[in-house]
Amino acid sequence: MSFLDKAKEFAAKHDKQVDQVLEKVGDEVDKRTGHKYTTHIDKGVDEAQKRTGEGDTRA
């Protein structure tokens, strides 16, 4: 099993935690860029969350 396969398996098993980390990373990037790219960052986080596990687990 390759590293990528292991990473995909981990993300699928821990979707909620992965979504939470992606959200925190997006918030930090947004803060460090002075909130200039909030819309783009949010779209990127949402897309990344959709691609992990069974999809976005946020409410």
Side-chain angles (χ1 to χ4, degrees), residues 10 21 36:
F10 177 85
V21 169
K36 292 181 183 180

Side-chain angles (χ1 to χ4, degrees), residues 3-20:
F3 175 77
L4 186 56
D5 290 334
K6 289 179 183 180
K8 287 179 183 179
E9 185 177 314
F10 177 85
K13 287 182 180 178
H14 303 284
D15 188 49
K16 185 175 180 180
Q17 292 86 352
V18 171
D19 283 352
Q20 290 171 347

Side-chain angles (χ1 to χ4, degrees), residues 19-58:
D19 283 352
Q20 290 171 347
V21 169
L22 289 169
E23 191 68 35
K24 287 181 183 181
V25 168
D27 290 345
E28 186 63 26
V29 170
D30 192 33
K31 181 176 130 186
R32 289 183 184 212
T33 58
H35 305 286
K36 292 181 183 180
Y37 308 103
T38 301
T39 303
H40 299 290
I41 292 166
D42 287 345
K43 284 181 183 179
V45 168
D46 289 345
E47 190 61 33
Q49 289 173 330
K50 288 177 189 175
R51 294 174 184 256
T52 59
E54 296 300 315
D56 189 3
T57 58
R58 293 182 312 144

